[in-house]
Amino acid sequence: MKEMRTRKNAGNLAFSITLDSMENTTLDFVAPDETTFHYWTDGINALLGQEMTSKQKKEDFDTLLSMEIKLRLLDTEGVDISKDPPPIPEDPENYDFCFES
């Protein structure tokens, strides 16, 4: 993939991808809404190793950072947080589950 160009025209949320393998060939996309547009463009930017630019990415990053800070504060209050993941339980004898009410 050569590049991605974004356009926001008259309510349309569109972008085009130019391919390296085919000259003057583009794939044109139009998202149905702004949220979908940001998901698509953030995903393509991530695959290209570029910075994700949406507001949602910033909000998600801030949420994760806030959780990490809270977890570190728990550790300072005497709650031991293991560095190792919990053990994975063994598989059941069968997967024929039946729940009766």
Side-chain angles (χ1 to χ4, degrees):
M1 185 174 352
K2 189 174 185 179
E3 65 179 311
M4 179 178 71
R5 284 184 248 149
T6 60
R7 304 186 292 265
K8 293 183 184 180
N9 298 340
N12 281 343
L13 298 167
F15 63 95
S16 297
I17 297 175
T18 306
L19 303 174
D20 284 336
S21 60
M22 305 170 85
E23 250 180 71
N24 299 326
T25 301
T26 62
L27 296 173
D28 301 319
F29 297 88
V30 179
D33 54 49
E34 191 168 350
T35 302
T36 304
F37 174 80
H38 289 300
Y39 286 153
W40 288 354
T41 55
D42 277 351
I44 291 170
N45 283 332
L47 290 171
L48 292 172
Q50 299 174 356
E51 179 74 23
M52 292 186 276
T53 58
S54 73
K55 185 175 110 178
Q56 185 65 44
K57 177 259 178 187
K58 179 169 178 8
E59 289 174 6
D60 290 347
F61 183 76
D62 290 344
T63 300
L64 290 172
L65 189 60
S66 172
M67 283 184 203
E68 182 180 1
I69 290 170
K70 289 176 184 176
L71 285 172
R72 288 179 189 240
L73 287 173
L74 277 176
D75 196 27
T76 61
E77 293 178 1
V79 177
D80 184 32
I81 300 173
S82 175
K83 302 269 188 237
D84 301 322
I88 298 174
E90 293 182 20
D91 287 338
E93 291 179 17
N94 64 53
Y95 291 92
D96 209 9
F97 300 110
C98 179
F99 297 101
E100 296 180 14
S101 5

